[in-house]
Amino acid sequence: MSQMTQTLTTTPPTEDLVVPFHCDRCGALAKVRVVLPSGSDLVFCGHHAREYDSKLRDIAVDIIDTDGEARVSS
């Protein structure tokens, strides 16, 4: 009979994982994060961010381009 060697494996904590966000409208990879006055946020692909740009600027506290983390508005 052979002996098995125990191996300890660990799972990294959730906060260390990089989780890609997907557009709230279509599910594509998100490029823009919109922070609302309530503190919640919405994320959009580039297409939908451009489509809703004027409406988002009216309601957003902040709009962040997630590719470069550039703030679009404040």
Side-chain angles (χ1 to χ4, degrees):
M1 189 184 292
S2 64
Q3 286 188 322
M4 298 178 87
T5 304
Q6 291 183 346
T7 305
L8 179 62
T9 58
T10 60
T11 305
T14 331
E15 62 270 11
D16 291 341
L17 298 176
V18 176
V19 180
F21 291 96
H22 297 278
C23 178
D24 288 333
R25 185 73 176 128
C26 71
L29 191 60
K31 300 291 182 183
V32 176
R33 178 176 172 240
V34 180
V35 181
L36 302 174
S38 66
S40 59
D41 61 1
L42 300 169
V43 291
F44 294 100
C45 63
H47 166 79
H48 284 111
R50 286 186 299 278
E51 182 178 340
Y52 301 122
D53 182 65
S54 62
K55 292 177 185 177
L56 293 173
R57 288 180 186 277
D58 288 343
I59 64 168
V61 171
D62 204 2
I63 299 176
I64 304 164
D65 176 348
T66 59
D67 279 340
E69 293 297 322
R71 299 204 183 281
V72 179
S73 72
S74 53

